[in-house]
């Protein structure tokens, strides 16, 4: 079977920087049994073709500004989908331009299509200038992608509820699993009982301002607490300045970008992973931490919401934007070793049951199913 994945970047010739590890793992897993082409939109300035993780990657550069820019981008993306031969199935990640390219190309080739709603395609946060639903064009693209897909997938039950509330269907919940051979628990004796970690690019929707305010609350009960913030800073040092104003800068380390192969060690060094997002469809960092035996305390989004609702619970969820509640919840888990162990065990069991191999198997089964239904 020839599988084409259409993505908004996340595949780099070097395979280490500028990658979305969960998507690279998916391509690699599918390539073990199928022919895989990845069409990466808008990441590079020039068109390129290279091999990565057993797949053939074709990059489609972003269009220069001008009239009919979207139409030109879609047309070139559609051509790239068929450049390695006719696809048997096309899967677009994000119900954005990549999803639109996927359904348009699949229709041209008479193949079935899937679209995975992977982020903020259907939300609008005007104060952050974030979300696919901010403008009429983004809303039209989302409707076209989801309406044209033979199957719509999401990573979490929380996201499924969100998509259905927007008037769209969801056919399957498929978490984007992690490499549980790389992300493994460490020696508890080497973990600081007060160490916290956060993984995610520093931006408005990840809301690290709430994270830092929550950490200030944690420090009131745990003066020795530390926070390791892993992620690219897109806000020009604003969070460092906020940490100074809150009086916690001495206990916060802004690590910047950390390659995926170095991330397990950062997670294993922590007692709790903290997530502060205002919106997060399926934060892979929650599963990476879980696979390392580190539970997440966070806002009620994505995997945090799902795991908090399981029995026994695998995460602790608090209302979005509530720094006091987030800080109190983190401090409570640090205070209770028995609860911490129970959360870690449940979270790790989920990560193992929904690892990268499970993701590959579920998507491959969906591909066969949708082809048979055609």
């Amino acid at each position: 079977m020839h599988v084409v994945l259409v993505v908004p970047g996340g595949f780099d010739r070097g395979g280490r920087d500028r990658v979305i590890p969960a998507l690279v793992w998916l391509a690699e897993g599918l390539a073990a049994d199928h022919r895989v082409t990845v069409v990466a939109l808008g990441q590079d300035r020039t068109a390129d073709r290279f091999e990565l993780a057993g797949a053939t990657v074709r990059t489609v550069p972003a269009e220069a500004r001008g009239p009919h820019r979207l139409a030109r981008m879609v047309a070139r993306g559609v051509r790239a989908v068929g450049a390695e031969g006719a696809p048997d199935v096309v899967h677009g990640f994000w119900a954005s331009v990549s999803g639109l390219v996927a359904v348009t190309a699949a229709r041209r080739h008479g193949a079935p299509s899937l679209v995975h709603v992977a982020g903020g395609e259907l939300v609008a946060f005007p104060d952050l200038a974030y979300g696919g639903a901010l403008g009429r064009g983004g809303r039209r693209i989302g409707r076209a992608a989801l309406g044209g897909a033979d199957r719509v997938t999401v990573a979490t039950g929380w996201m499924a509820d969100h998509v259905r509330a927007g008037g769209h269907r969801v056919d399957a919940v498929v978490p984007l699993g992690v490499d549980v051979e790389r992300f493994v628990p460490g020696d508890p004796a080497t973990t600081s009982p007060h160490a916290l970690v956060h993984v995610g690019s520093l931006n408005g929707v990840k809301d690290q301002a709430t994270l830092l305010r929550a950490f200030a609350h944690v420090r009131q009960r745990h003066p020795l607490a530390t926070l390791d913030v892993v992620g690219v800073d897109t806000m020009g040092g604003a969070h460092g300045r906020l940490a100074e104003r809150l009086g916690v800068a001495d206990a916060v380390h802004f690590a910047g970008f950390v390659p995926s192969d170095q991330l397990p060690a950062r997670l294993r060094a922590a007692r709790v992973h903290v997530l502060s997002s205002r919106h997060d469809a399926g934060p892979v960092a929650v599963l990476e931490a879980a696979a390392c035996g580190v539970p997440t305390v966070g806002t009620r989004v994505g995997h945090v919401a799902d795991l908090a609702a399981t029995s026994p619970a695998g995460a602790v969820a608090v209302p979005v934007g509530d720094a006091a509640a987030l800080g109190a919840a983190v401090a409570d888990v640090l205070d209770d070793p028995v609860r911490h162990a129970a959360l870690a065990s449940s979270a790790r069991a989920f990560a193992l049951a929904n690892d990268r191999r499970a993701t590959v198997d579920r998507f491959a089964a969906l591909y066969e199913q949708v082809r048979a239904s055609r």
Side-chain angles (χ1 to χ4, degrees), residues 65-271:
R65 294 186 180 277
H68 312 299
R69 178 171 171 247
L70 174 62
R72 295 198 306 272
M73 185 72 172
V74 171
R76 291 195 297 123
V78 168
R79 287 196 296 272
V81 168
E84 299 294 324
D88 293 307
V89 63
V90 187
H91 196 167
F93 283 82
W94 279 264
S96 55
V97 176
S98 51
L100 182 60
V101 167
V103 300
T104 304
R107 191 177 299 120
R108 170 173 292 185
H109 290 282
S113 63
L114 298 87
V115 170
H116 188 81
V117 191
E121 301 96 312
L122 305 180
V123 303
F125 292 133
D127 60 316
L128 303 177
Y130 173 84
L134 276 177
R136 184 172 60 181
R139 293 192 295 271
R140 291 178 66 184
I141 290 171
R143 286 195 299 270
L146 295 175
D150 292 286
R151 297 288 187 275
V152 175
T153 61
V154 295
T156 60
W158 179 87
M159 191 61 182
D161 292 341
H162 174 75
V163 173
R164 289 176 180 131
H168 306 284
R169 76 182 194 282
V170 173
D171 298 294
V173 176
V174 183
L176 299 181
V178 305
D179 185 348
V180 296
E181 295 181 359
R182 177 183 301 175
F183 290 87
V184 296
D187 182 356
T190 65
T191 301
S192 166
H194 309 285
L196 309 177
V197 66
H198 167 85
V199 180
S201 297
L202 277 64
N203 57 48
V205 75
K206 294 289 187 181
D207 196 10
Q208 285 90 0
T210 290
L211 170 73
L212 292 170
R213 293 187 177 99
F215 181 62
H217 286 284
V218 173
R219 289 270 287 183
Q220 292 175 10
R221 289 171 53 180
H222 292 269
L224 297 180
T226 60
L227 174 63
D228 190 18
V229 180
V230 177
V232 175
D233 182 3
T234 70
M235 299 184 68
H239 294 96
R241 294 189 290 273
L242 176 59
E244 292 278 0
R245 292 196 299 273
L246 292 171
V248 297
D250 61 320
V252 180
H253 175 234
F254 292 98
F257 169 74
V258 172
S260 179
D261 58 348
Q262 297 177 19
L263 186 55
R266 309 298 289 246
L267 291 169
R268 284 193 288 266
R271 183 75 171 161

Side-chain angles (χ1 to χ4, degrees), residues 332-355:
D332 288 345
V333 172
L334 293 178
D335 285 337
D336 190 340
V338 174
R339 186 185 183 202
H340 178 277
L343 289 167
S345 177
S346 181
R348 177 161 164 75
F350 182 88
L352 291 176
N354 296 276
D355 68 351

